[in-house]
Amino acid sequence: MNRIVIPFNMGDDNIPKITAPVLIISGDNDGMDKIELAKKYKLLGGGVAAGMQPMPKSHLAIVPNQDHVGLMTQTIFGYWIFLE
């Protein structure tokens, strides 16, 4: 069975249309392109000079000493602890 896989691409034109607050979390060693993450954050209204404009509703967090899997397991574990 052959399936056609179409990668998900929200498109930079659609990102500023998101009205809900967004939290982008990335480990500093998870393989994600940090420049691209910063671009997406800016499209969400982030990257303003502190104290010069209102703070954005969305946030970007780069967690030190974390890879992709470690960050996910710690986040899931932390969420599970929070629910206890």
Side-chain angles (χ1 to χ4, degrees), residues 19-61:
T19 58
V22 175
L23 173 59
I24 301 171
I25 303 174
S26 178
D28 67 347
N29 195 28
D30 71 359
M32 299 292 295
D33 184 347
K34 304 309 179 268
I35 293 171
E36 286 302 314
L37 290 175
K39 287 179 186 176
K40 301 306 183 230
Y41 177 58
K42 192 161 183 122
L43 289 171
L44 290 164
V48 298
M52 303 302 280
Q53 298 178 24
M55 292 300 292
K57 63 183 178 182
S58 296
H59 301 283
L60 171 63

Side-chain angles (χ1 to χ4, degrees), residues 6 8 10 29-32 37 41-42 44 51 61 63 68-69 73 75-76 79-80:
I6 300 172
F8 178 76
M10 182 171 211
N29 195 28
D30 71 359
M32 299 292 295
L37 290 175
Y41 177 58
K42 192 161 183 122
L44 290 164
V63 183
H68 195 73
V69 174
T73 57
T75 304
I76 292 167
Y79 181 70
W80 178 74

Side-chain angles (χ1 to χ4, degrees), residues 13-24:
D13 293 337
N14 290 320
I15 291 175
K17 298 175 187 173
I18 298 172
T19 58
V22 175
L23 173 59
I24 301 171

